[in-house]
Amino acid sequence: MDVPATRSGAGDAPPADHALRALRARWRTASLAAGWRFPSDWALPEVDAVCAAVMAKGRVEAAETALAGLARARAAAGAGLAETLADLAALHAVLDHGGDGFVSPDVDATPARLLRATALAWADVAVDQLVHTEVTDPLTGLPSAAYLRTRLFEVYRAAAARERPAAEEHVLLVVSLDLSTVTGFPRLTGMILVADALRAVFDSGQSVASLGPSVVAALVPKDERVASHGVALRRALHERLSVDSELSDAGRPRVSAVRLPATHEMACDLLARLGRG
């Protein structure tokens, strides 16, 4: 698919930057006509990079790297895959048509190589965003149990390399809060305050996570500071939860030191049980 060359005769062709802007405008018009949902979101710096690559190299196929960069930017901005591919089809239709009239973008008519490169680049960012979303509990902001399972795998592997049980080096401090008598906003507030207490006490590299709707935990080294951490955690929980009468009436949170089992698989089962309360 060749891009029509611009002649540089005296006064009969616009400068290169005018040609680039013209291509950009035609592409935008075709993309909006193909169903781009929010016109104000279409323009990105990567769009200009694609246009420049196409104009410089003469073929859209040669702009594959720039198109991949645009696909990643589209994914980061929240554009869906179907919308991103339709935008690519709009560019292909504009260049394939060659004139200034109406074009009809067709994803099926777009070269498979460009579709594949665009889709893979979009997926790289989209999957990464999904992973980061899933490992964070939306209420407390703490990492999820999936994160703690991964962290425990590292702990068990390191302990095995030293030929020692993981339970000799780490312990789980688990906090559970009985919210069965609490409803509405205070119920949400309770776990937010519990998470804040954990972050305040375990602020030097320990792994903290949300295990369930009313259970959080910290994976801490098993040393002389375990007892003092437990005392500090109980104090921090009391200071935060006592400011709300409904949470105070719900009873004190239960803080317990839980020994790690023999294997990582057993530890994952343990987290699942703890998360159910």
Side-chain angles (χ1 to χ4, degrees), residues 38 42 54 67 69 75 94 100 125 129 155 157 161 185 235 267:
F38 303 106
W42 184 84
V54 169
L67 285 169
V94 164
D100 294 327
V125 173
Q129 289 178 330
V155 166
R157 185 169 58 179
F185 187 72
R235 183 183 300 117

Side-chain angles (χ1 to χ4, degrees), residues 13-246:
D17 59 335
H18 289 182
L20 188 149
R21 286 198 295 271
L23 171 60
R24 185 179 185 274
R26 292 180 59 218
W27 179 10
R28 181 179 185 275
T29 299
S31 189
L32 297 183
W36 188 270
R37 291 175 297 171
F38 303 106
S40 61
D41 293 342
W42 184 84
L44 294 172
E46 289 78 6
V47 167
D48 291 333
V50 171
C51 290
V54 169
M55 298 300 298
K57 298 178 181 179
R59 294 177 62 84
V60 70
E61 289 85 355
E64 185 175 319
T65 299
L67 285 169
L70 175 60
R72 285 188 285 270
R74 293 287 191 218
L81 179 58
E83 194 172 31
T84 300
L85 295 181
D87 183 53
L88 171 63
L91 173 63
H92 176 269
V94 164
L95 295 174
D96 199 43
H97 184 269
D100 294 327
F102 178 79
V103 298
S104 180
D106 182 2
V107 172
D108 293 334
T110 307
R113 177 177 174 179
L114 295 182
L115 290 174
R116 182 172 60 252
T118 298
L120 288 175
W122 181 93
D124 281 343
V125 173
V127 171
D128 184 66
Q129 289 178 330
L130 178 63
V131 168
H132 282 84
T133 299
E134 287 186 340
V135 299
T136 303
D137 176 65
L139 175 62
T140 63
L142 294 177
S144 69
Y147 161 78
L148 193 53
R149 287 194 295 269
T150 300
R151 181 71 185 95
L152 280 169
F153 176 78
E154 297 169 345
V155 166
Y156 275 85
R157 185 169 58 179
R162 289 189 288 271
E163 298 183 348
R164 298 184 59 182
E168 290 185 4
E169 300 183 346
H170 287 81
V171 64
L172 280 173
L173 289 184
V174 180
V175 180
S176 57
L177 186 61
D178 183 3
L179 296 172
S180 58
T181 62
V182 181
T183 60
F185 187 72
R187 183 181 182 91
L188 303 179
T189 304
M191 291 312 298
I192 293 173
L193 294 175
V194 168
D196 184 66
L198 254 75
R199 277 191 289 260
V201 174
F202 302 109
D203 61 351
S204 54
Q206 299 92 340
S207 299
V208 297
S210 172
L211 302 186
S214 59
V215 182
V216 295
L219 177 66
V220 299
K222 194 173 183 180
D223 54 27
E224 68 280 357
R225 295 177 298 170
V226 170
S228 61
H229 277 147
V231 172
L233 181 57
R234 287 184 173 86
R235 183 183 300 117
L237 290 167
H238 174 73
E239 290 174 352
R240 287 160 174 78
L241 296 175
S242 61
V243 301
D244 189 298
S245 59
E246 287 192 56

